């Protein structure tokens, strides 16, 4: 098999060791004679898998006991509706920060359920820099404040936590969860689709403070009620069992690597390698303000965009895949999640240097 490096934004690269273990366990999980895919979600084997996955995630993130961990489906998109349905709790308005395309999707959906107050927008900065909190127009009566801590498409990451007093903080961490330690106790709710930095598509993780759940908008579907999922330990209906199993293996892989502080070090090293190179040349450009440069999704452009197609073709020939930028933004984007080894970023930079030498 040829060595490739997959820079896709999601579904994305998974740790080789995890895929290896899953392949060894594919036909017979721990002597059960069954694949995990074939197990009843109510059987003791799968319940062990799910409980261990939750315990490992709690340990990795330091999740306090008064938070529920939910293994749901429907992607981050379903959360765009579930959040207002569950967290408005009698209020009519919610605060949202506009940092880019994913924040806007959340805003658009929330607008169906409540008045959305946009506390600030990065639009005047062309979504290349997040406005400082001193410029935000917070509403003290807001049911919650929602923000997107890493804009997967724009490549904008926030490395600080907004301070909003008693207003619950809700964050879409889809594309950087588990890339660095976070203080869960500062949040009312954290959510993330699994297919970026956790595991396979089909699983969505929600971490929610338990006092916030239980009061839903009239007409909320049962499947959209956090309390129902919490009371049933994420087994109200059939959960995405295989995705939970793989996520559990990823959690164990992260623990063996030394946890989130250790993976953060590696993520800093990987992203600095690429940014330092981008900054050292005029041939390429990184558009994002220094303090908001994502460690996970790194967009960049070639000064001469007529070379884009050739760049992608040659990158592909070298086994460097999925570097094309999002269709809405163009240019390039390298997604370098936890599972991307340092060698992958080194190979990318070496290719970019060669390409510059040949075309610069
Ligand atoms: C990918 C992504 C989403 C959408 O996830 P789905 O699973 O497709 O619903 C939302 N927010 C962010 C930040 C993302 O990266």
């Amino acid at each position: 098999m040829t060595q490739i490096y997959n820079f896709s934004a999601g579904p994305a690269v998974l740790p080789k060791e995890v895929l290896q273990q899953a392949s060894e366990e594919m036909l017979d999980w721990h002597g059960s004679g069954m694949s995990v895919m074939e197990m009843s979600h109510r059987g003791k084997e799968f319940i062990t898998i799910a409980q261990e996955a939750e315990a490992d995630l709690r340990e990795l993130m330091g999740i306090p006991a008064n938070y529920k961990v939910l293994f749901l489906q429907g992607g981050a998109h379903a959360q765009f509706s579930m959040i207002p349905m569950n967290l408005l709790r009698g209020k009519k308005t919610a605060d949202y920060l506009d940092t880019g395309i994913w924040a806007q999707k959340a805003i658009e959906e929330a607008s169906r359920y409540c008045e959305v107050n946009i506390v600030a927008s990065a639009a005047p900065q062309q979504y290349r820099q997040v406005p400082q909190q001193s410029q935000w127009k917070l509403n003290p009566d807001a049911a919650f404040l929602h923000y997107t801590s890493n804009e997967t498409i724009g490549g904008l990451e926030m490395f600080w936590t907004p301070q909003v007093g008693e207003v619950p903080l809700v964050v879409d961490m889809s594309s950087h969860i588990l890339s660095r330690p976070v203080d869960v106790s500062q949040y009312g709710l954290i959510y993330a689709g699994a297919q970026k930095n956790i595991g396979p598509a089909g699983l969505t993780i929600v971490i929610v403070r338990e006092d916030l759940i239980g009061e839903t908008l009239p007409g909320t579907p049962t499947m959209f009620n956090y309390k129902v999922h919490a009371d049933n330990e994420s087994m109200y209906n059939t959960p995405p069992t295989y995705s939970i199993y793989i996520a559990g293996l990823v959690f164990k892989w992260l623990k063996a690597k030394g946890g989130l502080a250790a993976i953060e070090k590696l993520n800093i090293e990987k992203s600095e390698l690429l940014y330092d190179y981008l900054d050292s040349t005029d041939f390429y450009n990184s558009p994002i303000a220094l303090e908001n440069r994502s460690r996970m999704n790194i967009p960049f452009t070639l000064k001469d965009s007529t070379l884009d197609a050739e760049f992608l073709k040659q990158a592909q020939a070298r086994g460097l895949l999925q570097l094309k930028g999002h269709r809405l933004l163009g240019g390039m984007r390298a997604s370098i999640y936890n599972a991307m080894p340092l060698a992958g970023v080194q190979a990318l930079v070496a290719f970019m240097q060669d390409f510059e030498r040949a075309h610069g």
Side-chain angles (χ1 to χ4, degrees):
M1 204 167 74
T2 53
Q3 171 68 58
I4 65 102
Y5 292 109
N6 172 12
F7 295 93
S8 167
V13 56
L14 283 164
K16 277 269 170 316
E17 298 90 328
V18 164
L19 296 176
Q20 186 67 42
Q21 186 176 345
S23 80
E24 282 158 17
E25 296 176 347
M26 173 60 82
L27 297 182
D28 179 8
W29 182 83
H30 294 201
S32 65
M34 275 181 286
S35 168
V36 173
M37 267 182 267
E38 303 169 297
M39 289 175 183
S40 164
H41 59 297
R42 310 218 183 266
K44 78 173 184 323
E45 290 96 342
F46 186 74
I47 288 182
T48 307
I49 290 172
Q51 284 175 345
E52 266 186 45
E54 176 173 341
D56 287 336
L57 181 63
R58 282 184 176 276
E59 185 183 329
L60 279 167
M61 292 185 73
I63 301 172
N66 63 325
Y67 283 72
K68 298 287 187 190
V69 173
L70 307 178
F71 292 138
L72 306 180
Q73 296 169 80
H77 277 89
Q79 294 311 307
F80 296 163
S81 341
M82 272 179 101
I83 286 160
M85 283 175 157
N86 287 266
L87 297 193
L88 280 169
R89 298 181 301 146
K91 298 214 173 186
K92 300 259 175 289
T93 161
D95 280 355
Y96 277 73
L97 175 67
D98 171 23
T99 46
I101 289 159
W102 287 119
Q104 287 153 17
K105 288 251 193 175
I107 289 166
E108 190 186 320
E109 190 63 19
S111 306
R112 305 181 61 220
Y113 302 101
C114 65
E115 185 193 310
V116 171
N117 171 44
I118 305 208
V119 297
S121 171
Q125 289 82 29
Q126 290 94 48
Y127 296 101
R128 293 169 175 184
Q129 185 170 31
V130 177
Q132 289 175 0
Q133 197 185 322
S134 56
Q135 297 163 8
W136 297 8
K137 295 195 172 54
L138 293 167
N139 174 3
D141 277 336
F144 55 87
L145 176 119
H146 177 284
Y147 77 110
T148 311
S149 45
N150 186 60
E151 285 282 356
T152 320
I153 297 173
L156 208 61
E157 183 165 353
M158 286 170 68
F159 295 96
W160 48 278
T161 306
Q163 297 304 314
V164 285
E166 294 299 297
V167 175
L169 201 51
V170 174
V171 63
D172 179 354
M173 279 194 193
S174 291
S175 49
H176 83 83
I177 191 166
L178 301 176
S179 69
R180 54 181 159 97
V182 293
D183 179 0
V184 174
S185 72
Q186 297 206 33
Y187 295 89
L189 187 149
I190 295 171
Y191 67 102
Q195 73 272 27
K196 314 288 170 49
N197 212 16
I198 298 175
L203 168 66
T204 312
I205 288 184
V206 171
I207 301 163
V208 60
R209 218 175 67 209
E210 60 192 4
D211 63 285
L212 296 175
I213 61 176
E215 189 184 340
T216 53
L217 282 186
T220 296
T222 309
M223 275 297 286
F224 272 50
N225 186 332
Y226 291 132
K227 186 79 166 48
V228 169
H229 291 290
D231 288 348
N232 290 279
E233 279 158 8
S234 303
M235 303 235 187
Y236 173 72
N237 74 318
T238 315
T241 51
Y242 200 76
S243 297
I244 292 171
Y245 157 69
I246 298 285
L249 295 184
V250 172
F251 301 153
K252 289 197 191 300
W253 175 81
L254 276 170
K255 279 173 62 178
K257 287 221 147 219
L260 301 194
I263 204 78
E264 176 179 40
K265 266 199 180 153
L266 188 60
N267 286 328
I268 290 173
E269 187 183 353
K270 288 177 339 193
S271 56
E272 282 185 350
L273 182 64
L274 183 48
Y275 283 119
D276 284 350
Y277 175 58
L278 290 169
D279 288 343
S280 72
T281 164
D282 289 336
F283 190 79
Y284 302 101
N285 179 50
S286 158
I288 306 300
L290 293 180
E291 77 265 27
N292 292 123
R293 285 177 163 186
S294 172
R295 291 181 192 148
M296 298 282 105
N297 311 98
I298 304 186
F300 62 92
T301 53
L302 276 65
K303 192 169 72 183
D304 177 1
S305 64
T306 64
L307 291 172
D308 283 5
E310 186 60 22
F311 178 91
L312 288 165
K313 194 176 131 201
Q314 291 189 20
Q316 168 126 11
R318 285 234 215 156
L320 306 170
L321 310 184
Q322 302 283 342
L323 286 164
K324 196 174 161 64
H326 190 275
R327 63 196 142 77
L328 294 173
L329 293 191
M332 307 297 155
R333 174 177 50 170
S335 294
I336 52 172
Y337 297 115
N338 287 348
M340 172 62 65
L342 179 61
V345 185
Q346 287 167 335
L348 173 60
V349 170
F351 163 70
M352 289 170 71
Q353 286 169 331
D354 289 348
F355 191 83
E356 177 179 357
R357 258 180 241 118
H359 299 274

